[in-house]
Amino acid sequence: MRFLIINLLFTLLLEKLYAEQLIRRVAGYSEVEKHTLSDNTIISHYKNKGTWTDNKSNYGTEQCKGTIVINPEGKIVEYLLFCNGKDYKGHTYTAKLKRSSNMDAGTGYYLYIDGTGFWKKLIGKKCKYAIFYLDDAYFTSDQCDLK
């Protein structure tokens, strides 16, 4: 009986912790137009389009556009990207993304700057994400504390 009570309390605690986070998985395809400067700095006009699911049984689409400057060593030195998304209920959001890792994979954060429905309460929230690429395909995982 004691084991059952401890197990139940542990399960309830995990559910509470999990419920206070938004965890999304995003995947799609990207396009890049590159301009290379004489010092091998690359200025990229980047856009992507993908789909996502989250741990709240929500799903939707997302499109991002922006400018990325990459130094000759392959490290991002300037990154300005905005993403617009829509969930299956028609609620929308806009997020501003930042990162300074290598372009082929890395971590960064995004800030919700606009939203409707569920997303409105996330305006001003700073969330973490990780991204990696396989050819033109991208895969991200992101996490946002809701508390």
Side-chain angles (χ1 to χ4, degrees):
M1 181 68 169
R2 183 177 164 179
F3 175 75
L4 183 61
I5 291 172
I6 291 172
N7 193 20
L8 179 63
L9 289 173
F10 183 72
T11 302
L12 290 173
L13 177 65
L14 283 179
E15 284 180 6
K16 176 132 176 81
L17 290 173
Y18 187 65
E20 293 179 353
Q21 290 186 337
L22 176 65
I23 300 170
R24 295 186 333 137
R25 303 278 188 255
V26 186
Y29 289 91
S30 64
E31 294 179 33
V32 181
E33 289 181 17
K34 296 179 182 180
H35 304 283
T36 303
L37 303 180
S38 61
D39 69 351
N40 289 325
T41 296
I42 298 171
I43 300 170
S44 299
H45 297 285
Y46 176 90
K47 64 181 178 177
N48 70 32
K49 190 174 191 178
T51 60
W52 56 267
T53 60
D54 69 25
N55 64 322
K56 305 293 183 196
S57 299
N58 201 357
Y59 57 91
T61 60
E62 181 176 87
Q63 292 184 358
C64 304
K65 293 180 182 175
T67 302
I68 304 167
V69 179
I70 303 167
N71 70 14
E73 291 76 40
K75 184 174 167 108
I76 296 170
V77 292
E78 289 184 46
Y79 189 90
L80 184 59
L81 196 67
F82 292 91
C83 297
N84 293 311
K86 182 166 95 171
D87 65 26
Y88 77 98
K89 294 177 183 175
H91 300 145
T92 61
Y93 62 84
T94 299
K96 179 181 178 180
L97 283 74
K98 292 290 255 180
R99 68 182 258 229
S100 59
S101 55
N102 289 332
M103 188 57 198
D104 55 353
T107 60
Y109 71 89
Y110 60 94
L111 181 70
Y112 285 101
I113 59 172
D114 193 26
T116 63
F118 169 81
W119 307 101
K120 188 170 186 160
K121 69 181 179 183
L122 295 180
I123 295 173
K125 284 274 187 193
K126 189 175 179 179
C127 307
K128 301 179 281 188
Y129 76 95
I131 187 167
F132 63 94
Y133 292 88
L134 175 61
D135 300 324
D136 291 340
Y138 70 92
F139 306 87
T140 71
S141 178
D142 54 68
Q143 179 178 336
C144 195
D145 289 329
L146 298 178
K147 44 186 168 163

